[in-house]
Structure formats: C-alpha cells, structure tokens
Amino acid sequence: MYRILFSLLVVSSIGVSQLFADAELVHAPEYQKGQVIKTEIETNLEQTLIIAGMNVETGAENFLTTEETVKEVTADKAVLGGRFSAILMELKLPGGQSISFDSGNPNVEIPPAPFGEVVKFLKMMANSTWTTELDGNRQVTGLKYEDDFLSKVPDGFKDQVSQEQRIIDSKTTINRLPGKSVKVGEKWERNEEANLGSGQTFYSVREYTYVGPEEHNGKKMEKIKAVTKSIQYDITGGGALPVELKDSELKVKSSEGVLWYDPELKQVVESSDVTHVVGELTFVTGGMELPAKLDLTMKVKSKNIQ
C-alpha cells in the first residue's frame, strides 16, 4: 500500500514538474543556405480625429508578403537577401475618397497629387530588394538596399524605410522575446517605437507574459500574451508636417495580443495584436492651438508561411 502511494506521489511530482518546466524563449533560428523564409503581414487601421470641431475619419488595410533567401550562413554570421513578393493596400480618406494599390497590377493607375506620391512610393517599394546581415546571436547588424533605392524615395517617405529604421524594426520584433528561460506566468516589459512617417512616432510600453505550451496549427508551441500598457505620440523631424504637437494625452482603452514561439525553429512564427487608443491632442499651426480628440484602433497580424 505504501509502495503504491509512494509511486503515485513520484509520478504526480514528475507530471507537475513537466507541466511547469521552464521554457527557453530565445531567437536562435538555424538557417540553411538557400532556405527561403516567407512572411505575411496584415495591418488594419481605423482612425477618427475630431479637430476644430470636424470629424476626420481615415482607415488603411495593408497586406505584405516578404521573401528572404539565406545567401550565407556560419556560426558567427548570416546574410539574407530580401524582397516583397506582394503589396496590397486600401487607403480610405476623408470625403469618401480612397486609394488602392496592388503590386500584381503593373498598370496600376497613379492618382493626381498629393495622393499620387503614395502610389509611386508603393511601386518603388514593390520593386526594391535588400540584404540583411545578422550576427551569431541572429541579431540584425546591418541592412542595405540594392540599386540605390533610398536616393529615389520621396522625402516624405524616407524616414519610414531608411536603413536605420528597418534595423530598429527588426530588432524590436526579435527583442519581444526574453532571450532566456522563463517560467509559466513570468512577465517582462519592452519599450517599443513605431514610425508613422513624416516625423510621427508612437512610443509604447509592452508587457509580455509566458502562458505555457499549447498546440497551435497541429504543432506544440509556446504561447506568449502581449498587452500595450501605455502609449505616447510625438512629432519630430523639423517641420515635416504643417503642424507642431504641443501636448498629447493618450491612453490604451484595450489591448490584446499573442505570440506563438516554435521551439523547433527557435523563433516566433505567428503573432497578432489589437490595440484601441483614445485621448486628446493639442496641435499648433500658425501660432494657433488646435485641440483634437483621437480614437484609433490598430490590428496587426504576422505569420511565417511555407
């Protein structure tokens, strides 16, 4: 009887230890030369800005597919060549206007100014190629566009696609992980920034929580929850916009996100996030203050595809 009870206790303790075992959440993909990495990214933005008593409603739906081919890989370095295989965009503007773009349509119509500049830029992006270098820890150390791409980009878009910004974006994505072993329920925070173009930036504090192993898409993965705890809006860049920002008081009304980490591939292979931001802003133009209210919902999905 005691021997049976002892055996049950041993089995139970093993089961508990496995259930709450630490998980190593480190970005360490093992690339193979010639390997092609495809990623789909979907974004959906819905915004209402009440400024000077006027409701200004805008929205954007974007779909991107990137392809990166491993050109070189050693224990200390990896070199990837990248390109966009698809860019689709639907931009909703005030007054019922809209702009559509599909990189699969080479004869896409370019609308008149100022919206024509957006389509011209997207056509350039669709044809751009780049090389990314990573170190032995698979952290991005450099990114370079081919064919002198940046010199051709209109000034209003350069800050979004600069080599420096692309490196920041890549590091932000990788550094969502803790880079170490964590226990179920363990939390960590990251300060992140999102470049909105024309000198506009969102600075946010994100909290990540390790949920534990779960089956996802028929495979055992590690689940991580994410929430945006705070967000700040700023305008810099020396007059890129016709207004200045005097004050920003934004709050996160709701936030929910999830990351799926594949322990075999040693990287996040899918993520989704929905954040609802509201608050008040005060702009200044021509010496006059313009109070405004913002209601913004941002949805982002990303996943690796075969």
Side-chain angles (χ1 to χ4, degrees), residues 47 49 196 201-203 229-234 245 247-253 276-283 292-296 298:
Q47 174 182 283
L49 184 67
L196 309 177
T201 306
F202 270 143
Y203 298 95
K229 298 183 67 177
S230 64
I231 196 163
Q232 180 182 347
Y233 171 72
D234 197 12
L245 180 67
D247 193 25
S248 169
E249 295 184 7
L250 301 181
K251 66 177 182 179
V252 179
K253 190 171 184 179
H276 185 189
V277 177
V278 297
E280 298 183 354
L281 306 165
T282 302
F283 298 104
K293 292 184 178 181
L294 176 69
D295 190 312
L296 171 65
M298 301 175 286

Side-chain angles (χ1 to χ4, degrees), residues 17-302:
S17 66
Q18 290 177 341
L19 181 62
F20 294 98
D22 294 0
E24 187 175 35
L25 303 179
V26 177
H27 180 81
E30 298 176 355
Y31 296 124
Q32 303 294 325
K33 188 172 182 179
Q35 176 185 356
V36 178
I37 305 153
K38 298 181 180 180
T39 306
E40 289 182 351
I41 303 171
E42 295 181 59
T43 60
N44 183 297
L45 306 178
E46 296 179 1
Q47 174 182 283
T48 298
L49 184 67
I50 303 176
I51 184 167
M54 297 177 58
N55 260 30
V56 181
E57 296 185 357
T58 55
E61 294 183 15
N62 299 320
F63 177 85
L64 308 174
T65 303
T66 63
E67 289 187 7
E68 294 186 294
T69 302
V70 181
K71 295 183 174 181
E72 178 184 343
V73 59
T74 66
D76 302 321
K77 180 181 179 180
V79 179
L80 283 62
R83 72 180 188 93
F84 291 105
S85 52
I87 299 180
L88 290 86
M89 185 200 72
E90 183 73 26
L91 183 62
K92 299 176 183 177
L93 304 167
Q97 301 183 77
S98 65
I99 298 175
S100 297
F101 178 81
D102 182 351
S103 60
N105 178 11
N107 300 316
V108 61
E109 182 179 350
I110 298 178
F115 306 127
E117 291 300 305
V118 176
V119 175
K120 289 179 182 178
F121 166 68
L122 291 172
K123 289 186 71 173
M124 294 178 63
M125 283 294 296
N127 293 316
S128 66
T129 57
W130 61 88
T131 299
T132 305
E133 291 190 0
L134 305 97
D135 61 19
N137 295 320
R138 300 312 180 229
Q139 292 286 321
V140 178
T141 57
L143 186 144
K144 181 180 179 182
Y145 287 103
E146 309 296 336
D147 301 325
D148 205 22
F149 165 75
L150 281 177
S151 67
K152 306 169 188 176
V153 174
D155 290 339
F157 302 96
K158 284 185 183 295
D159 59 338
Q160 296 180 67
V161 295
S162 69
Q163 293 168 167
E164 294 79 11
Q165 186 59 48
R166 290 289 299 276
I167 292 173
I168 289 173
D169 293 342
S170 297
K171 288 184 176 180
T172 297
T173 299
I174 291 172
N175 291 335
R176 295 176 299 179
L177 295 173
K180 62 178 184 178
S181 294
V182 295
K183 300 180 183 298
V184 170
E186 190 167 339
K187 302 176 184 291
W188 60 95
E189 287 188 359
R190 293 290 184 267
N191 295 319
E192 301 178 359
E193 64 178 74
N195 190 320
L196 309 177
S198 301
Q200 304 174 91
T201 306
F202 270 143
Y203 298 95
S204 60
V205 176
R206 301 267 289 167
E207 181 183 80
Y208 296 91
T209 305
Y210 173 51
V211 177
E214 287 188 18
E215 186 172 307
H216 182 65
N217 292 335
K219 189 174 184 181
K220 181 183 176 183
M221 296 191 188
E222 307 292 353
K223 185 178 182 180
I224 304 165
K225 283 189 176 181
V227 296
T228 301
K229 298 183 67 177
S230 64
I231 196 163
Q232 180 182 347
Y233 171 72
D234 197 12
I235 299 178
T236 57
L241 291 176
V243 296
E244 297 178 4
L245 180 67
K246 179 182 178 181
D247 193 25
S248 169
E249 295 184 7
L250 301 181
K251 66 177 182 179
V252 179
K253 190 171 184 179
S254 63
S255 175
E256 183 178 6
V258 63
L259 283 64
W260 293 101
Y261 177 87
D262 189 323
E264 291 184 6
L265 299 179
K266 299 180 182 179
Q267 61 181 318
V268 173
V269 295
E270 186 175 339
S271 65
S272 62
D273 186 82
V274 180
T275 302
H276 185 189
V277 177
V278 297
E280 298 183 354
L281 306 165
T282 302
F283 298 104
V284 177
T285 179
M288 296 178 58
E289 292 189 3
L290 293 175
K293 292 184 178 181
L294 176 69
D295 190 312
L296 171 65
T297 299
M298 301 175 286
K299 302 177 182 178
V300 183
K301 294 181 180 180
S302 175

